[in-house]
Amino acid sequence: MSHIAYVNGRYVPQQHAQVHIEDRGYQFADGVYEVVYLWKGCPVDYAAHIQRLGRSLEELEIPPPMSWGALTSIIKEVVRRNRIVQGIVYLQINRGVAARNHAYSRTLRPSLIITVKHGTGPSEKVANRGVKVVSAADIRWARRDIKSVALLPNILAKQKAADAKAFEAVLHTPEGIVTEASASNVWIVAKDKTLVTHPATKDILGGVTRATILKLARASGYKVTERPFSVKEMRAAKEVFLTGTTTFVMPVVQIDQHTVANGAPGEFALDLRNRYTHYMNSGNPETAWNV
Ligand code: PDD
């Protein structure tokens, strides 16, 4: 079955889907995106993804292409046409099409592209073994809170990880502070058993999964602090793990050449991963698409 994409008002077979060569998303990475996980037919934290999308658009002065209700109907239709029950929805909104010029007109019509992909997410087997990460310099701009499609630093870091047969690249500032990973947020369990993750400032993408894990952890009685931590503290931590839409909760057992704790996934990470799975299972098809 060929995949159906939605591109600027039309549902088209993905291999024939096209965008204009002067789309600013193509020429300047002048656009934003979201990735939503579809779990047993229900989007996970849909409202939070839409809220972040709205914020990213607002920060860049890109008007929403339509109401959130209309956008939701289109996403549901793409999901329906592709018969996806498990996988991801990718949606991208670019500023629009114009003759190449760095400055933009505020009257452009934004482009909207939606695709879906079947997938089962990271396997239990991988999570139960834990993953290796590499460290990499965070060479991104100063507005990492905006989910911009300009991902060159992220892809270079992820490639560094791939070349080292690692799952992710953990990014750090010149001062050695861990910001996040190339496509996920980073957490540690500190010496005093407090869960620590970088605060949701402009220096990181405020992960939707991060926010849910914060809620689940607090509701389960964990001590949680949002504060920066260093690469050095991460290496000495009791546990390290990642969170993200396509990562869920992923224990880290190796950082570069350094083994984390005893080299096995930690109990906090595995417990939170379980709680997150329960949370996804509790999705209600009647309300999951509400914004
Ligand atoms: N990435 N940090 C970065 C830089 C990310 O790109 C992502 C997600 C996250 C986690 O955010 P969330 O929990 O909202 O997925 C953190 C998506 C999955 C991607 O680019 O494919």
Side-chain angles (χ1 to χ4, degrees):
M1 188 182 80
S2 89
H3 288 273
I4 303 295
Y6 174 91
V7 184
N8 296 326
R10 293 170 58 218
Y11 298 92
V12 281
Q14 197 156 309
Q15 70 266 36
H16 301 308
Q18 291 181 336
V19 291
H20 196 287
I21 58 164
E22 287 195 310
D23 188 298
R24 292 180 61 95
Y26 174 62
Q27 288 190 329
F28 293 113
D30 187 0
V32 302
Y33 75 107
E34 277 296 329
V35 179
V36 183
Y37 207 82
L38 204 65
W39 176 267
K40 299 181 182 170
C42 280
V44 180
D45 285 330
Y46 181 70
H49 281 282
I50 293 300
Q51 200 182 357
R52 183 172 64 189
L53 176 67
R55 184 177 174 277
S56 295
L57 290 171
E58 204 174 305
E59 292 294 319
L60 299 181
E61 293 195 307
I62 300 174
M66 59 187 67
S67 71
W68 299 135
L71 177 69
T72 304
S73 301
I74 294 170
I75 296 173
K76 284 164 94 168
E77 182 60 15
V78 179
V79 168
R80 191 190 68 76
R81 289 189 187 215
N82 287 282
R83 298 194 202 125
I84 298 276
V85 286
Q86 194 90 2
I88 59 165
V89 176
Y90 174 80
L91 81 99
Q92 180 172 340
I93 299 173
N94 300 329
R95 193 179 303 278
V97 175
R100 189 175 183 279
N101 176 7
H102 287 60
Y104 53 83
S105 151
R106 292 192 174 80
T107 61
L108 296 181
R109 182 139 53 95
S111 329
L112 169 63
I113 294 106
I114 301 167
T115 57
V116 294
K117 193 168 85 180
H118 172 79
T120 51
S123 79
E124 282 298 306
K125 219 168 113 189
V126 173
N128 288 331
R129 234 182 7 235
V131 296
K132 173 181 165 182
V133 298
V134 295
S135 56
D138 194 339
I139 59 170
R140 297 174 300 164
W141 70 328
R143 290 304 307 274
R144 301 154 186 165
D145 55 317
I146 298 170
K147 203 161 169 60
S148 148
V149 294
L151 289 174
L152 266 180
N154 305 60
I155 65 166
L156 292 175
K158 190 74 164 203
Q159 189 60 38
K160 182 181 175 191
D163 290 343
K165 300 202 167 19
F167 182 84
E168 251 290 24
V170 169
L171 309 175
H172 60 80
T173 66
E175 297 75 33
I177 296 297
V178 173
T179 47
E180 57 185 327
S182 76
S184 53
N185 290 112
V186 184
W187 301 63
I188 60 169
V189 178
K191 286 263 159 64
D192 66 353
K193 294 195 174 174
T194 304
L195 279 166
V196 185
T197 194
H198 195 289
T201 60
K202 290 177 181 171
D203 293 340
I204 68 162
L205 181 76
V208 168
T209 321
R210 175 192 174 281
T212 295
I213 295 297
L214 275 175
K215 262 189 257 161
L216 294 176
R218 286 188 174 126
S220 318
Y222 285 101
K223 272 189 289 172
V224 188
T225 313
E226 294 174 75
R227 65 155 172 88
F229 56 87
S230 66
V231 173
K232 195 169 158 219
E233 186 179 2
M234 175 175 70
R235 287 205 190 116
K238 281 183 168 306
E239 294 186 26
V240 179
F241 62 90
L242 308 168
T243 61
T245 294
T246 50
T247 314
F248 305 164
V249 177
M250 183 57 74
V252 172
V253 294
Q254 193 183 333
I255 303 159
D256 302 317
Q257 304 314 317
H258 185 93
T259 303
V260 177
N262 66 358
E267 52 176 320
F268 283 52
L270 291 179
D271 177 59
L272 287 168
R273 186 179 165 88
N274 254 332
R275 289 178 193 274
Y276 189 66
T277 307
H278 282 296
Y279 175 78
M280 290 195 290
N281 277 330
S282 70
N284 176 352
E286 299 294 317
T287 54
W289 293 100
N290 290 354
V291 288

